Amino acid sequence: MNDEDGRMLRRVADYQFGAGAGAALFPTEEDLEVYRTTSGRPQQVVADAGRLVTYAVEGRFTLSPAGARRLLDALDGPTHRVVVGEESDPFVREGRNTFAKFVKRADPGIRPGDEVAVVRDDDTLLGVGRAELAGEDMLDFGTGMAVFVRHGVGPAEDESGEADADEGEAS
């Protein structure tokens, strides 16, 4: 990744996820690969372990499990987290959506459309996706989808930290 791309992508990450997110996702000392659209716009950022983010047309990142892990390590809880109970664990890991009645805690700063990590109490990553409700509404609503889960994280991935290959994802 060249310096210009790095600065721009870190700035977008800091804006979307908060201060420090850009450095966590795209450290200057790591050699990351940037895949581009035919027009030359950055589309995906890939590390050795796989895709970190997709940079969507509207100028926001969608996270992969590898990217979410980097954010979880860098940002203090509850930032961009939705905590679910044990009963949701196997379903989220399979990539199924998270419903409000199973949300135990959520970052009150979450807005509908935000990228979030679905985690257990101990911050174990279960999945990543898009918030459908505001963080506070996730706790107040007894029904309805809280998070559209784009990728579930299987138990085998907990150990390796590697995510399924999804290089072809379009946004």
Side-chain angles (χ1 to χ4, degrees), residues 7-25:
R7 281 191 302 276
M8 186 271 297
L9 294 170
R10 282 189 285 280
R11 213 171 30 248
V12 171
D14 285 344
Y15 176 77
Q16 183 175 343
F17 299 110
L25 282 169

Side-chain angles (χ1 to χ4, degrees), residues 103-127:
V103 174
K104 292 171 67 176
R105 288 188 310 283
D107 176 358
I110 292 173
R111 298 164 301 188
D114 282 354
E115 282 293 301
V116 297
V118 181
V119 299
R120 288 196 299 225
D121 279 319
D122 65 359
D123 237 13
T124 298
L125 181 64
L126 303 175

Side-chain angles (χ1 to χ4, degrees), residues 29-119:
E29 64 278 357
E30 188 175 5
D31 188 26
L32 300 172
E33 186 75 31
V34 177
Y35 292 95
R36 298 178 178 284
T37 63
T38 55
S39 67
R41 183 183 61 79
Q43 184 177 33
Q44 293 187 356
V45 181
V46 179
D48 288 341
R51 184 182 68 87
L52 297 174
V53 297
T54 296
Y55 188 48
V57 175
E58 73 273 1
R60 295 172 55 102
F61 290 120
T62 59
L63 291 170
S64 73
R69 275 192 188 84
R70 289 182 181 210
L71 286 181
L72 291 175
D73 290 343
L75 303 176
D76 293 333
T79 306
H80 290 281
R81 291 167 172 84
V82 175
V83 179
V84 296
E86 269 184 46
E87 66 277 3
S88 295
D89 194 309
F91 301 105
V92 176
R93 285 183 181 277
E94 290 174 6
R96 294 190 183 159
N97 298 326
T98 301
F99 289 89
K101 72 181 198 174
F102 298 110
V103 174
K104 292 171 67 176
R105 288 188 310 283
D107 176 358
I110 292 173
R111 298 164 301 188
D114 282 354
E115 282 293 301
V116 297
V118 181
V119 299

